[in-house]
Amino acid sequence: MNIDLLCVECIINQAQRVGDTLNVDEKTSVKLIKNAKEMSKSFSFSQTPPEVATPVYEKMAEILNTDDIYKEMKDRSTKKAQSFLPFLKQTLQNSKNLFVDATKMAVAGNVIDLASEVAFDLEEELNKIFHTDFAIDNTQQLKSSLQNASSVVVLGDNVGEHFFDKLYIQTLQELFPHVKFYYFVRGKPIINDVTLKEAREIGFDEVCEVIDSGVVTPGFTYKMATKKAQELFDSADVIISKGMGNYECLSSSHKSPIFFLLKIKCQVVASSLGNEIGSIICLQR
């Protein structure tokens, strides 16, 4: 999925949000926004939004003299997400449709996105997610694919959300014990996406094999992945892709089947999927 003019506007707005979130001085804020505007003049409309946004975030990190812009925010997201685990575990334990509810839970975690056009409250989403229908519901196709799979790659997205991903994979392992799962993370900090560091901090590697994809964009850009990541991606029977960034990068992928689990948080993705902002999606490509 390539960028359009709304993506350009969004990326410039993200520069302002970075300044506001980090409470930088006015001079630095102006510099961040000016830099984004200048870089936007050379954006290629043949690239995906994550590919275009990455150099902008790298430059912002340089201006802010850090290699992890949202480190403190990621720490807070981790603590907040962790606090909901007892509720989620109890809900799944009492579930009458464990597979669908676990999949909804995985999507609920996708609201933890510091680069989205629209912000959602995690607690509010969790209170309603199990009573909300998927706007695109391919959960039965996903279940059938997992029943016949031997290896599955789950593409991680945001920090905080990775707690939900861990619980989701644990649930899938109970339901499909014959499947070997791999969890892909980013190659280095970009926005608030999960890396090997955050995954290991919560013991994710005790649940399944965690793969540093080598990808530095906020979405799985296949051509940037390590050889190992590409081989696992290509050989997997099923890909479960979390979040909008991964959808933007893989909506026209060579791989099949890919199941996209996400909450729509911007108009461009809403238009692409033919649904409204706020909708939850389980789509087989």
Side-chain angles (χ1 to χ4, degrees):
M1 185 184 116
N2 295 336
I3 67 166
D4 70 13
L5 289 174
L6 286 176
C7 299
V8 177
E9 180 181 348
C10 179
I11 291 170
I12 293 172
N13 289 339
Q14 285 176 35
Q16 182 171 344
R17 286 201 295 273
V18 167
D20 292 343
T21 301
L22 301 183
N23 197 28
V24 301
D25 58 72
E26 184 176 355
K27 181 179 178 181
T28 303
S29 180
V30 169
K31 190 173 183 179
L32 291 171
I33 297 168
K34 182 180 179 181
N35 167 71
K37 288 180 176 178
E38 284 297 316
M39 294 185 73
S40 72
K41 295 176 182 178
S42 59
F43 283 173
S44 170
F45 284 77
S46 64
Q47 290 186 302
T48 66
E51 288 176 303
V52 166
T54 297
V56 179
Y57 270 93
E58 289 175 342
K59 184 62 178 178
M60 285 195 286
E62 182 182 319
I63 292 170
L64 296 167
N65 192 31
T66 180
D67 61 356
D68 193 351
I69 292 175
Y70 280 131
K71 184 181 184 305
E72 291 184 9
M73 291 293 293
K74 289 193 294 185
D75 290 342
R76 288 199 287 272
S77 294
T78 295
K79 292 176 182 177
K80 185 172 184 179
Q82 188 174 20
S83 70
F84 290 109
L85 287 180
F87 163 74
L88 293 173
K89 290 177 180 178
Q90 187 63 48
T91 300
L92 294 181
Q93 185 176 332
N94 297 333
S95 174
K96 295 180 180 179
N97 192 336
L98 180 58
F99 177 75
V100 171
D101 282 344
T103 303
K104 286 182 176 181
M105 174 205 67
V107 174
N110 188 233
V111 305
I112 307 172
D113 188 346
L114 300 181
S116 65
E117 177 184 320
V118 178
F120 294 90
D121 181 77
L122 179 58
E123 184 171 3
E124 181 181 339
E125 291 302 310
L126 287 175
N127 284 330
K128 67 182 183 182
I129 191 69
F130 298 106
H131 310 289
T132 301
D133 293 331
F134 282 104
I136 299 176
D137 187 355
N138 291 161
T139 52
Q140 290 309 304
Q141 292 91 326
L142 173 57
K143 185 176 183 180
S144 177
S145 294
L146 291 172
Q147 287 171 336
N148 296 304
S150 59
S151 67
V152 173
V153 165
V154 179
L155 302 175
D157 191 20
N158 300 315
V159 171
E161 181 181 356
H162 68 316
F163 268 109
F164 295 68
D165 294 342
K166 181 183 177 185
L167 182 55
Y168 184 46
I169 290 176
Q170 288 175 312
T171 305
L172 294 181
Q173 287 172 328
E174 294 174 10
L175 294 171
F176 311 100
H178 60 284
V179 177
K180 180 172 178 59
F181 288 89
Y182 300 91
Y183 186 67
F184 280 25
V185 297
R186 306 290 185 240
K188 71 174 186 178
I190 179 73
I191 314 182
N192 64 322
D193 286 22
V194 61
T195 68
L196 197 59
K197 173 180 177 291
E198 290 92 14
R200 284 177 171 168
E201 284 174 349
I202 70 166
F204 215 127
D205 48 352
E206 298 170 7
V207 172
C208 69
E209 188 172 348
V210 179
I211 303 296
D212 182 339
S213 69
V215 173
V216 299
T217 52
F220 184 74
T221 303
Y222 177 85
K223 63 186 178 184
M224 294 183 179
T226 63
K227 182 178 180 181
K228 179 179 181 179
Q230 288 182 347
E231 289 175 349
L232 289 171
F233 182 89
D234 289 337
S235 64
D237 298 304
V238 177
I239 305 294
I240 298 177
S241 167
K242 295 291 307 296
M244 291 199 310
N246 288 323
Y247 169 76
E248 289 165 346
C249 289
L250 295 171
S251 58
S252 59
S253 172
H254 64 280
K255 179 65 178 177
S256 179
I258 300 178
F259 289 88
F260 295 103
L261 303 183
L262 63 119
K263 186 176 183 71
I264 299 178
K265 293 165 288 191
C266 83
Q267 189 55 54
V268 175
V269 172
S271 298
S272 173
L273 290 168
N275 275 277
E276 298 179 353
I277 291 176
S279 300
I280 61 172
I281 304 296
C282 176
L283 168 69
Q284 178 182 358
R285 194 198 68 80

